[in-house]
Amino acid sequence: MRKRNRDSVVIAVPKGRVLEQLSARFAKAGIPTGALTAKSRKLIREDKAAGLSFLLLKPDDVPTYVEYGVADLGVVGRDVLMERDYDVFAPVDLDIGRCRMMVCGLPDEAITGRGERPLRVATKFANIAEQHFRSRGIPIELIFCQGSVELAPLTGLADVIVDLVETGETLRQNGLVTLEPIADISSVVIANRVGLKLRRGAIQPILDALRG
Amino acid sequence: MLPPASMTRTLLWQRLMETFDLHGYQRVTTPPFEYAEVIERGLGTVDRRDLVRFVEPDSGEVALLRPDITPQIARIIATRLQDRPPPWRLSYEGTVVRRRRGRARRQHQVLQCGIECVGLKGPEADAEVIEVAVRACEQVGLRDFLVELAQVKIGAEVLDHVPDNARAAVVDTLAAKDATSLERLLKEAGVIAGERKRLGMLCDLYGDRTVIADARRRLRNAAAKRALDELERVVDRLETAGLGDRVGIDLSDLRRQSYYTGVSMTLLAEGPGEPLGLGGRYDHLLGRYDAPAPATGFAFEVDNVLWALTDAGISLKGELPLRVLVAGGTFAGRRKTADSWRAEGARVATLPAKSVEDAKRYARAWDYELLVWQRGRTTRLTRLRDGRSRALNAEPDSAVVSWARVGNES
């Protein structure tokens, strides 16, 4: 096990779609992004001169690295934070990666269930779905699906789905509609609870720049 | 956990307990499981969903593995120590069990050791408990750490304008310093703009003690002023104790406000990414056991302290007694030699090995520092770490013990 270097601020970022938007946002805030945007398969990108180090992770893993303090800061969608309890700070909303967590289904679907059995809900977001329907007082049968969850109502696997909706294009093409909003989602900057307090001098300027 | 790690861990909590003892905190021991009714009456810092409950087969009662030791201490004071005058200064060490939903479901068993100071109100008792925690950290060699103070009484005041059903979410969002969600949440709950602004700025009220003055300017009513005065009096006393530069303040963490009733604190250091320990004032707990008394306390999570020490490159291993393996020779000879090393404070085991090589292999595998090899009348000492050896023609003494400890040889 390697010991982490605390002279630089470690930022965990999600690989994939949001990364491009994120780099632009970082650049705009005056944070050097050379290491981040370089064409490379390296998962750790160090920028010694800037005192920064980036970890490229699967989005779902970002809060784990931050919670353990392996990374000081991280960027993650609110959906990931909602789905599981993480004890981290979330001091800056970046207002990128905007979308909504929604209940979706066929246009004529009754969201209160059918009377003869609990509402069947297919989703990757098991906890969010369960919490939402519990607070609405609607009994559900939860069906866990990793992806292409739109298939579930079309094939009869489930009555409705709970998923992220950005433009709604995939729903439309598959004949589904949004039935009920659950939460607004965007990317937020999260911070480890201890690191921010012990090395605030190095970390706060980054937060301030991103907030601006 | 295996040797030698299990031994340094034991040494660590023993050393923490020694500092407690040094400040007059006397040890009590409590059972690892209790009737749920007893513990749950006094729960505050542990989420009920984290409890491990079971039905006790003999009585049919619901029992649980203790998730926290403080309620047990409170009950002991309420039921068995009422004939002694306050204050009660007690310490404890033990494993608590939690189903931790957060943090990758990491640990279920948490070794804690802590202190409770019951029967004293006011900033002196708060400062005393904080100082003992700090001294305990210093005593085990930790140098870089921060004592962060919070004041949950601020919460009683600022949450006044938030509808009951939204309070839990507001407290969580505040604790996450998530100003954006907070604003949305308060708007949905119908909180007016002025109050939303007041709550929002709590997110940024953290830092050194100047935060208190800052808070005074922004929270002007009498209750908030009293809460800040109380906090300031504790900070003053910590400064008197020479701990001023270790103190930080965060006024946005109101999460344990149903349990704590005044100044609370967390101890932070690099390493585990979460606090090394937490504590604070809990004046209502004893009342739940029908013996009302003001109280304050603190508990370390021992493995987090160990983690911080490791991260700082501090090892307690060198402070364990010398470990000696006596091999070769006769049964009677090994016994006698072993006792002579024990008299010098060493930890000694014997082994009827066939060859010196066998004995060395065994000693290395089990982390012995010194091999004492006997053959006929001669005794040969071998330091395992660097392989150096010498003859010994007399009883062991302190000089030869320090030779045996690499780095300490004169």
Side-chain angles (χ1 to χ4, degrees):
Chain A
M1 196 171 82
R2 253 172 72 175
K3 217 184 124 188
R4 70 154 279 195
N5 166 19
R6 289 190 210 284
D7 294 333
S8 62
V9 175
V10 179
I11 306 177
V13 297
K15 286 191 289 192
R17 270 193 314 166
V18 184
L19 188 56
E20 213 166 296
Q21 265 180 298
L22 186 63
S23 310
R25 184 61 190 273
F26 276 9
K28 210 177 108 197
I31 299 165
T33 55
L36 193 55
T37 51
K39 283 243 175 301
S40 157
R41 289 208 179 178
K42 281 190 120 161
L43 299 175
I44 303 181
R45 312 280 184 88
E46 281 182 309
D47 184 341
K48 287 218 171 82
L52 289 176
S53 173
F54 295 96
L55 307 180
L56 273 65
L57 301 173
K58 228 183 138 207
D60 289 354
D61 290 335
V62 167
T64 306
Y65 278 72
V66 174
E67 191 176 35
Y68 276 82
V70 174
D72 299 306
L73 298 175
V75 176
V76 66
R78 286 193 183 276
D79 53 311
V80 180
L81 297 180
M82 278 174 76
E83 179 59 21
R84 266 189 51 192
D85 273 342
Y86 295 98
D87 197 13
V88 294
F89 292 127
V92 182
D93 193 313
L94 290 173
D95 206 27
I96 57 175
R98 287 205 73 95
C99 53
R100 294 179 102 185
M101 187 67 73
M102 306 277 278
V103 183
C104 312
L106 291 163
D108 56 349
E109 194 58 60
I111 205 166
T112 46
R114 305 185 165 196
E116 75 269 23
R117 57 168 171 77
L119 185 72
R120 286 193 185 138
V121 182
T123 186
K124 188 187 148 192
F125 303 97
N127 291 327
I128 294 173
E130 208 198 297
Q131 219 167 34
H132 175 73
F133 285 104
R134 198 193 310 134
S135 75
R136 296 267 271 105
I138 299 169
I140 62 164
E141 178 182 338
L142 201 74
I143 301 168
F144 184 76
C145 288
Q146 278 282 3
S148 298
V149 70
E150 293 83 1
L151 261 175
L154 297 177
T155 54
L157 175 66
D159 303 322
V160 295
I161 59 173
V162 166
D163 203 13
L164 291 171
V165 180
E166 203 177 338
T167 60
E169 191 49 38
T170 316
L171 290 178
R172 250 190 311 280
Q173 289 195 15
N174 288 288
L176 301 180
V177 295
T178 60
L179 298 170
E180 187 171 64
I182 298 178
D184 290 326
I185 303 297
S186 53
S187 290
V188 289
V189 178
I190 55 173
N192 177 263
R193 288 191 160 267
V194 179
L196 179 61
K197 301 294 175 59
L198 295 180
R199 279 171 289 115
R200 196 174 174 192
I203 296 170
Q204 187 74 43
I206 299 175
L207 294 178
D208 290 342
L210 287 170
R211 204 175 273 165
Chain B
M1 198 176 240
L2 301 176
S6 60
M7 296 168 86
T8 50
R9 184 184 192 237
T10 303
L11 180 66
L12 173 60
W13 68 253
Q14 285 173 342
R15 296 265 302 267
L16 296 170
M17 295 293 284
E18 260 167 43
T19 302
F20 299 162
D21 192 18
L22 202 62
H23 291 81
Y25 287 80
Q26 301 185 47
R27 183 166 180 187
V28 288
T29 52
T30 62
F33 67 91
E34 285 253 18
Y35 289 123
E37 185 271 326
V38 172
I39 294 274
E40 289 186 358
R41 220 193 303 173
L43 270 191
T45 57
V46 180
D47 191 314
R48 271 161 216 275
R49 289 173 294 175
D50 288 350
L51 299 176
V52 180
R53 292 194 185 84
F54 59 95
V55 174
E56 218 260 310
D58 290 337
S59 63
E61 297 262 6
V62 177
L64 48 73
L65 298 172
R66 63 180 172 198
D68 189 3
I69 295 176
T70 305
Q72 296 185 307
I73 308 270
R75 201 178 60 127
I76 288 173
I77 290 169
T79 56
R80 296 172 62 198
L81 288 171
Q82 285 297 308
D83 57 337
R84 303 192 200 180
W88 295 271
R89 285 191 173 89
L90 301 174
S91 68
Y92 60 85
E93 162 272 322
T95 300
V96 298
V97 178
R98 292 170 192 174
R99 293 174 50 221
R100 297 228 290 198
R101 287 163 299 112
R103 229 165 145 182
R105 298 163 209 275
R106 192 171 58 98
Q107 278 182 328
H108 295 273
Q109 284 193 45
V110 180
L111 178 62
Q112 289 192 332
C113 64
I115 53 175
E116 312 293 352
C117 178
V118 179
L120 281 183
K121 56 181 183 199
E124 257 175 60
D126 293 315
E128 172 181 314
V129 164
I130 295 167
E131 186 178 350
V132 173
V134 168
R135 299 298 176 221
C137 274
E138 289 172 345
Q139 209 275 334
V140 296
L142 206 58
R143 282 178 298 273
D144 297 322
F145 57 92
L146 181 73
V147 181
E148 189 170 75
L149 305 181
Q151 167 59 300
V152 290
K153 269 188 186 165
I154 303 255
E157 197 270 318
V158 292
L159 293 173
D160 210 30
H161 304 269
V162 178
D164 280 348
N165 58 4
R167 276 191 194 175
V170 166
V171 166
D172 283 347
T173 317
L174 254 178
K177 302 193 182 301
D178 185 350
T180 314
S181 296
L182 184 66
E183 173 70 11
R184 192 186 303 149
L185 202 60
L186 292 170
K187 235 181 194 164
E188 279 168 14
V191 177
I192 57 164
E195 287 304 320
R196 292 207 303 271
K197 203 175 153 216
R198 242 158 55 95
L199 275 157
M201 54 118 218
L202 274 185
C203 289
D204 286 319
L205 279 180
Y206 68 104
D208 61 17
R209 73 170 295 176
T210 59
V211 166
I212 301 178
D214 205 8
R216 266 186 216 290
R217 280 194 296 278
R218 295 158 189 250
L219 306 166
R220 285 168 183 272
N221 73 52
K225 187 179 172 302
R226 274 197 302 278
L228 292 168
D229 287 345
E230 207 177 277
L231 176 60
E232 189 146 51
R233 281 196 289 272
V234 175
V235 176
D236 284 342
R237 277 158 186 79
L238 290 173
E239 275 181 0
T240 308
L243 305 177
D245 51 356
R246 290 214 184 276
V247 173
I249 311 269
D250 188 342
L251 295 179
S252 64
D253 199 344
L254 307 172
R255 282 183 297 180
R256 296 169 190 96
Q257 50 146 6
S258 63
Y259 181 79
Y260 289 129
T261 57
V263 174
S264 64
M265 65 132 156
T266 50
L267 222 145
L268 307 175
E270 298 286 6
E274 60 178 18
L276 309 192
L278 44 138
R281 181 158 284 285
Y282 54 96
D283 288 346
H284 298 328
L285 179 63
L286 275 288
R288 294 188 211 164
Y289 296 94
D290 305 318
T296 175
F298 179 86
F300 283 111
E301 293 203 354
V302 174
D303 288 319
N304 280 352
V305 181
L306 197 57
W307 195 334
L309 284 171
T310 308
D311 194 87
I314 299 160
S315 168
L316 293 177
K317 212 177 157 193
E319 295 176 36
L320 289 167
L322 178 70
R323 292 171 46 76
V324 178
L325 181 69
V326 177
T330 63
F331 172 72
R334 287 193 298 272
R335 272 196 78 253
K336 190 162 164 286
T337 306
D339 275 341
S340 69
W341 282 91
R342 287 182 190 120
E344 289 301 316
R347 304 291 182 260
V348 192
T350 60
L351 187 76
K354 286 205 173 65
S355 73
V356 69
E357 291 315 315
D358 280 355
K360 274 185 192 164
R361 213 170 298 125
Y362 180 89
R364 279 204 191 90
W366 284 96
D367 218 42
Y368 285 94
E369 291 162 275
L370 185 72
L371 171 65
V372 178
W373 178 256
Q374 298 182 305
R375 194 169 172 176
R377 295 215 168 160
T378 65
T379 298
R380 194 134 196 102
L381 309 181
T382 305
R383 267 195 328 222
L384 276 308
R385 222 162 306 176
D386 61 2
R388 286 179 61 182
S389 70
R390 58 176 272 191
L392 181 69
N393 299 319
E395 296 281 291
D397 56 16
S398 59
V400 75
V401 167
S402 52
W403 174 84
R405 307 220 79 160
V406 180
N408 289 345
E409 66 268 41
S410 45

